[in-house]
């Protein structure tokens, strides 16, 4: 009997991991759509994780709104939605282990004077501080200068020397909030993520994630970093640049336009089709290598 086992049976688990610091804008939609289609085209699962690590920066109601928008756009996730706010104990236990293994240390330096004096590279001042100081402190992960590189599915080879380019980086902030870098790496591992599709703004965080994966003996997922959608001023769409939230009443239009922005050449006849049909077409025709190679896509060229 014929089977189709030869067509990609590699297990694939992808994810979309929005921070509820604002509602979804067109740039976040493009990331959601690309990670969804790449997962579905590979017969994979697509998970949603809410990265709610920074309550003071959260927009009230954003979590519910984001999930409602994903549902309206028929971007159906598999399994339960994870919330990073519920995983503090797990992050803390790992940070404590890093400190007791002398792979991380407490740092009492203040950000502004550090930057004034040394720029954005932390020069290791507090290395060796393994006992929690009485004054407020952050926790930094000890780095070294071996090159850490990977092959991005779209951007090609990328590497950094963490110690000389960045220095020991923060995994827990002075205000006791957990840093994105440790949470994202631990959660991607815990959720079995095999493939990460996200914006190019995170490319230069990825060597830090690879370094953490090495220290923790985790597998390294495949990475694809997408070009960013930019506004008239050439800025990445974000809350800080006052990007408009995508509306819930025209999902077809925005989904079609996402496929177009991703270089997938959706046919004009598909315009106005129900969201599930547009996503079905997108899954059937998904070609990663059609995504534009440039680093940004101007929203003015998209007829939003
Ligand atoms: N939470 C991050 C953001 O919204 C994305 C994290 C990721 O995809 O690794 O920018
Ligand atoms: Zn310090």
């Amino acid at each position: 009997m014929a089977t189709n086992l030869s067509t990609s049976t590699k297990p694939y688990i992808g994810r979309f991991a929005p921070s509820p610091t604002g509602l979804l804008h067109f740039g976040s939609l493009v990331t959601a759509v690309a990670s969804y289609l790449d997962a579905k085209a590979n017969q994979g699962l697509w998970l949603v994780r809410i990265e709610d690590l920074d309550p003071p920066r959260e927009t009230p109601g954003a979590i519910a709104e984001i999930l409602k928008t994903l549902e309206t756009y028929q971007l159906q996730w598999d399994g339960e939605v994870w919330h990073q706010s519920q995983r503090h104990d797990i992050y803390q236990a790992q940070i404590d282990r890093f400190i007791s293994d002398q792979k991380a240390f407490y740092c009492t330096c203040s950000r502004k004077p550090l930057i004034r004096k040394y720029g954005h590279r932390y020069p290791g001042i507090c290395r060796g501080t393994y006992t929690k100081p009485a004054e407020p402190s952050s926790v930094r992960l000890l780095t070294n200068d071996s090159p850490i590189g990977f092959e991005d599915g779209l951007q090609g080879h990328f590497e950094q020397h963490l110690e000389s380019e960045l220095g020991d980086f923060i995994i827990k902030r002075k205000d006791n909030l957990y840093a994105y870098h440790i949470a994202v790496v631990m959660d991607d591992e815990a959720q079995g993520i095999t493939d990460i599709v996200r914006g190019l703004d995170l490319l230069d965080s990825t060597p830090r994630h690879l370094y953490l994966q090495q220290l923790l003996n985790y597998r390294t997922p495949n990475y694809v970093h997408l070009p960013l959608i930019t506004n008239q001023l050439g800025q990445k769409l974000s809350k800080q640049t006052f990007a408009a939230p995508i509306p819930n009443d025209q999902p077809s239009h925005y989904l079609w336009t996402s496929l177009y922005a991703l270089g997938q050449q959706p046919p004009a006849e598909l315009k106005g089709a129900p969201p599930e049909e547009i996503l079905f077409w997108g899954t059937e025709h998904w070609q990663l290598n059609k995504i534009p190679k440039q680093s940004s896509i101007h929203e003015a060229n998209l007829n939003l």
Side-chain angles (χ1 to χ4, degrees), residues 14-17 35 46-47 49 184 188 193 195-198:
R15 52 43 160 207
F16 176 56
S35 61
W46 186 68
L47 312 184
R49 182 172 70 231
V184 79
D188 284 334
I193 302 299
D195 290 79
I196 294 178
V197 177
R198 61 185 180 191

Side-chain angles (χ1 to χ4, degrees), residues 226-303:
L226 303 166
L228 301 177
I229 310 294
T230 52
N231 64 18
Q232 268 80 342
L233 300 170
Q235 302 158 321
K236 168 187 177 308
L237 300 192
S238 70
K239 183 178 167 183
Q240 290 70 33
T241 61
F242 309 106
I246 46 167
N248 279 339
D249 59 357
Q250 300 172 62
S252 306
H253 170 69
Y254 285 90
L255 285 171
W256 190 94
T257 309
S258 303
L259 292 180
Y260 177 80
L262 288 162
Q264 302 298 302
Q265 301 171 305
E269 309 85 77
L270 195 65
K271 279 188 188 172
E276 56 272 28
E277 245 172 70
I278 297 180
L279 290 172
F280 182 74
W281 185 95
T283 305
E284 295 282 291
H285 295 88
W286 180 245
Q287 276 186 279
L288 200 61
N289 59 15
K290 279 189 168 176
I291 297 174
K293 294 287 175 286
Q294 73 245 37
S295 61
S296 62
I297 300 171
H298 218 302
E299 69 171 348
N301 298 330
L302 293 175
N303 190 19

Side-chain angles (χ1 to χ4, degrees), residues 54 56 137 172-178:
D54 194 343
S137 55
K172 186 175 184 187
R173 289 165 27 176
K174 229 184 221 183
D175 55 11
N176 281 324
L177 297 181
Y178 296 95

